[in-house]
Amino acid sequence: TVDATGGALDPGTVLGKITASGKFVRHAAGAADGSEVEVGLLLVGIGAVEDTRTVIKRDSEVAQSELTYEVGADAAQITTSNAALAAFGIVVR
């Protein structure tokens, strides 16, 4: 389940996963609830609701130009996110 109640999410949004609920949300580097760890990408966009969506969690190759990173992410954060995704087998080109 993807929770976008905080605002719509575009396809390619980098996701974290809330430890307590198991729900995917937009990655938030400064959080401490599980969403600070990049664990996947949203395949199809979602409005500001909670719904079931397809999440890419492993073994894929994606174009960086199609990804939506955390708001305000700088080059260092993007590099860190890409490395974290690579650990799951998601290769960002």
Side-chain angles (χ1 to χ4, degrees):
T1 300
V2 178
D3 186 349
T5 55
L9 302 176
D10 293 327
T13 297
V14 178
L15 300 173
K17 189 174 184 180
I18 304 293
T19 305
S21 68
K23 295 178 183 175
F24 292 94
V25 296
R26 180 187 302 272
H27 166 254
D33 59 2
S35 65
E36 72 276 14
V37 179
E38 302 89 334
V39 297
L41 303 170
L42 185 62
L43 186 62
V44 177
I46 184 173
V49 297
E50 183 179 302
D51 203 355
T52 302
R53 287 289 193 264
T54 301
V55 175
I56 299 169
K57 297 189 335 184
R58 61 184 167 87
D59 301 330
S60 58
E61 187 172 312
V62 297
Q64 181 170 320
S65 62
E66 299 298 321
L67 300 184
T68 302
Y69 295 91
E70 180 178 12
V71 174
D74 60 16
Q77 180 60 46
I78 290 170
T79 298
T80 299
S81 290
N82 290 350
L85 292 169
F88 288 98
I90 301 171
V91 179
V92 180
R93 301 268 185 224

